[in-house]
Amino acid sequence: GWNDTINTTIINFNNEKIQITWATRELFPNENVSFFYTFNEGKHKVWKSCTTYLLDQDYNSGCLFKTEGPTLAISIRNSNGSEELFSKNLKSDFYIKPNRPENVTFLWKENAVTVSCNKPERGEMCLRLELQYKSKFDKEWQSRTSKCCSVGEQGFDPRKCYSFRVRLRRRVPHCNVVNYSSDWEAETFWMNGMLLDSCDEDTTSQSNTVIVLSCLLAVFLMMLILLILLCKGQRVQMSVLPAIPDPKYLFADLFNDHNGNLQEWLDKNDHVVLQTKLEYEEPDSITEAESQQEDGKNGDKQGPPEKIFTFSGAAENNDGKAAEIACLKPTSNTMASFSGFHILRNDDTYVML
């Protein structure tokens, strides 16, 4: 009944070494058993005792030995080997665990990658190459399997960093009775076809980019706010303290053409002032002004010329009598002299240069 109750674990490492283990603490709690094996077939078997035991708290729990053929017979006996406690015949080829893939290469072409490895010396038809990958945004690995020894996948985002790992698997049940796979090859990190030390570099570079962009945006917003405050400040200043006009812009020809010589500027612009005054007078006033100019010509023969400017608000009346009265010299008028000019003004008028 021992053969039905004892469970063993058999691993044939790449058809080079075999490891067989059993639960010694549960099966043989008070006895340290011994192990024997043979690759010979038939009745005349030559048993070999285990030379490399695996221990579990100083008790023999397994044996490691060299693979010498496709068939294997094992026997677990008592401590001195006189009594057999368990025996089993098996095909060692059905328990093969392959080695890691060797010389793994990655071939990138745009968003597709092809992973290849060296072909093993034997058992190529029983092997499959498995590729697993995930980005930093994925929680689980995505898997792709192909026959040995090349596998390809596409649809990779060049802006993401991916982790890759590969391993070899034995076909079940065609080649193995146990689904054994090799250990994973060292994990590699890729981004846009470039090999990286880790995906943390990508995270660091992205965080640095975000920091730089945030700083630039903050500076731009500060400049915009300062510009808005400056414009509003100028408007407030202009409303509270209006700017005083510079007279040199109102009398540009006085300063530019006459170098500030007021007498020269007045002599040159005398006819302009008179012409402007006449253009804005009404027809009756224009007739009156012409008669006054004729009287002035007659008076040139009698005495020195005087230039008199008369300002009157009575020119708005259309009848002749009112215009005649307006041309008379009012009693409240005063005469102002400036550089040879005589200006007649009353209380209701003012003169601005």
Side-chain angles (χ1 to χ4, degrees), residues 2 4 10 20 39 51 88 90 110 146 213 288 329 337:
W2 282 103
D4 297 333
I10 305 169
I20 299 179
F39 288 94
T51 58
K88 185 175 183 178
L90 53 95
E110 296 180 353
S146 180
L213 292 178
E288 243 177 85
K329 179 178 179 181
S337 299

Side-chain angles (χ1 to χ4, degrees), residues 251-314:
F251 302 96
D253 54 346
L254 172 62
F255 296 97
N256 295 336
D257 299 340
H258 303 284
N259 199 21
N261 191 333
L262 180 62
Q263 182 63 48
E264 182 181 340
W265 177 77
L266 290 174
D267 292 341
K268 184 176 182 180
N269 291 277
D270 183 21
H271 66 285
V272 178
V273 175
L274 291 175
Q275 184 177 358
T276 304
K277 182 175 183 301
L278 292 176
E279 287 178 357
Y280 284 94
E281 285 182 346
E282 295 184 358
D284 293 342
S285 298
I286 294 174
T287 305
E288 243 177 85
E290 289 178 353
S291 63
Q292 290 179 6
Q293 287 180 1
E294 289 179 359
D295 295 340
K297 289 180 181 179
N298 295 331
D300 290 342
K301 298 177 182 180
Q302 298 176 1
E306 288 185 354
K307 296 180 181 179
I308 301 174
F309 296 88
T310 304
F311 300 90
S312 175

